[in-house]
Amino acid sequence: MKLYMHPISTSSRAIRMLVAEDGLDMEEQAIDVMSGENLKEPFISINPIGLLPALVDGDMVLTEGSAILKYLADKFNLPAYSKDLKQRAKINEAMDWFN
Ligand SMILES: N[C@@H](CCC(=O)N[C@@H](CS)C(=O)NCC(=O)O)C(=O)O
């Protein structure tokens, strides 16, 4: 898996924290939003709207920080995203507030 991100990107940061916390095997590539690298090839072909973060997992490209967090949590069965109905609802509430 490869995460296109930038250290100043708040949407990228939560994913990088989850990856670090759970020791996930993740290649990272920084895309310099300050110089507009996100709006040029090759990144613009990965995410045509030019926003970070973007996750590439095999043949899938996934954007939107919240969707990436939920995908990783489900893929690796991470405890941070509880399967308990009410606990997960409160997590989703906080994630939606952030978005
Ligand atoms: N709703 C998106 C927002 C993505 C977003 O706005 N990313 C910012 C960095 S945090 C970005 O790539 N900005 C580059 C630009 O606006 O040119 C998400 O949560 O992933």
Side-chain angles (χ1 to χ4, degrees), residues 1-92:
M1 286 186 298
K2 185 169 182 177
L3 180 68
Y4 293 85
M5 58 83 205
H6 193 278
I8 67 164
S9 156
T10 51
S11 301
S12 301
R13 196 171 303 144
I15 300 164
R16 298 182 77 215
M17 290 170 71
L18 188 75
V19 166
E21 183 175 275
D22 290 282
L24 304 184
D25 187 17
M26 181 75 75
E27 182 184 351
E28 282 193 336
Q29 183 167 333
I31 299 293
D32 185 10
V33 289
M34 307 308 280
S35 68
E37 189 183 359
N38 55 311
L39 303 174
K40 298 174 191 157
E41 294 293 355
F43 183 71
I44 202 70
S45 286
I46 294 165
N47 184 7
I49 61 170
L51 295 178
L52 298 169
L55 177 77
V56 176
D57 188 6
D59 61 357
M60 181 181 74
V61 176
L62 189 61
T63 63
E64 291 299 322
S66 178
I68 294 170
L69 285 167
K70 290 167 183 156
Y71 175 73
L72 292 175
D74 284 337
K75 177 168 179 160
F76 295 105
N77 199 25
L78 301 181
Y81 195 43
S82 174
K83 288 188 170 53
D84 176 83
L85 181 65
K86 290 182 178 173
Q87 285 180 6
R88 185 170 275 211
K90 295 303 287 183
I91 294 166
N92 287 337

